[in-house]
Amino acid sequence: MDIVIPLFDRFEPLDAIGPYEIFGYMPGANVRFVTDEPGPVQDVLGALPVHVPTRYSEVESCDVLLIPGGGSHLTMMDDPAFLDWVRRIHAGTRFTTSVCTGALVLGAAGLLKGLTATTHWNAIADLESYGAVYTAERVVRQDRVITSAGVSSGIDMAIQLAALLTDEVTAQAIQLYTEYDPEPPFDTGSVAKASAQVIEMARALDG
């Protein structure tokens, strides 16, 4: 089971590392990080450089392609060669997935036209500009394409995908092992629940 996650500078850490934690425990799974040029890739928060040894251009196929979000999505969207690679890889995947603003990369590659999809709540208009139909659901599956909403929702998506790639008992065991049983201290995890003041402050974090 070959799973490929492209990392570019200013990637959102949990977008990639959350699903990686889940996928890494799937029997037979091999997770690879790829980038444009081998070497250190910096996360958007600035303190988590990741050494990525493989060029994305070296990958000709995979079972699962996962596009994370963060500031890196702008770099990916502005690279015609990368978007062409996404289209080629998607043609042979079992599942093509995204977390957060990674959905905009799928949109820029033309993979979301006419599909229902989700992304970070602050990128809804951008998603719809690519012909996708936005929904506020945390995880949305449209045949082989699975999109997930902001940052933490990538864990939900990865557990659902683990069930599809293995079986529900295996996915449940991984969920138990990682003790993914959220009890958030505040009920402000979506714009439908947050106050105007919290929403304004959250928008300011997206710098």
Side-chain angles (χ1 to χ4, degrees):
M1 183 63 59
D2 190 22
I3 300 170
V4 172
I5 304 175
L7 290 187
F8 286 72
D9 280 334
R10 302 188 71 246
F11 72 94
E12 188 73 45
L14 192 58
D15 284 13
I17 303 305
Y20 168 57
E21 178 80 14
I22 302 302
F23 295 149
Y25 289 110
M26 285 198 315
N30 175 48
V31 182
R32 293 189 286 167
F33 292 100
V34 300
T35 189
D36 51 350
E37 291 294 334
V41 179
Q42 187 65 62
D43 76 300
V44 71
L45 300 175
L48 186 67
V50 177
H51 180 78
V52 182
T54 306
R55 290 182 176 87
Y56 72 78
S57 57
E58 297 174 26
V59 176
E60 296 183 355
S61 65
C62 64
D63 295 295
V64 175
L65 176 64
L66 184 148
I67 308 292
S72 61
H73 82 276
L74 298 172
T75 302
M76 289 187 266
M77 290 168 58
D78 288 341
D79 186 343
F82 179 77
L83 294 179
D84 185 57
W85 175 81
V86 169
R87 287 187 284 266
R88 293 198 313 272
I89 295 298
H90 170 67
T93 61
R94 290 180 64 180
F95 292 99
T96 298
T97 70
S98 66
V99 183
C100 196
T101 51
L104 304 184
V105 179
L106 299 184
L111 304 184
L112 297 183
K113 290 179 181 177
L115 299 185
T116 300
T118 191
T119 188
H120 191 278
W121 54 267
N122 205 28
I124 296 171
D126 293 326
L127 180 72
E128 293 180 333
S129 73
Y130 292 110
V133 179
Y134 171 76
T135 176
E137 295 177 49
R138 280 180 67 80
V139 181
V140 180
R141 179 184 175 189
Q142 296 275 271
D143 191 24
R144 294 191 300 119
V145 177
I146 304 177
T147 55
S148 54
V151 192
S152 63
S153 65
I155 299 174
D156 300 59
M157 182 272 291
I159 293 172
Q160 291 188 33
L161 187 54
L164 293 171
L165 294 171
T166 58
D167 56 74
E168 289 193 1
V169 173
T170 298
Q172 289 175 27
I174 294 171
Q175 180 176 345
L176 175 59
Y177 180 77
T178 56
E179 206 165 346
Y180 182 60
D181 190 22
E183 293 184 7
F186 304 106
D187 193 21
T188 57
S190 76
V191 291
K193 302 174 181 179
S195 68
Q197 180 184 12
V198 169
I199 292 172
E200 182 181 0
M201 185 173 293
R203 289 188 192 278
L205 297 176
D206 189 18

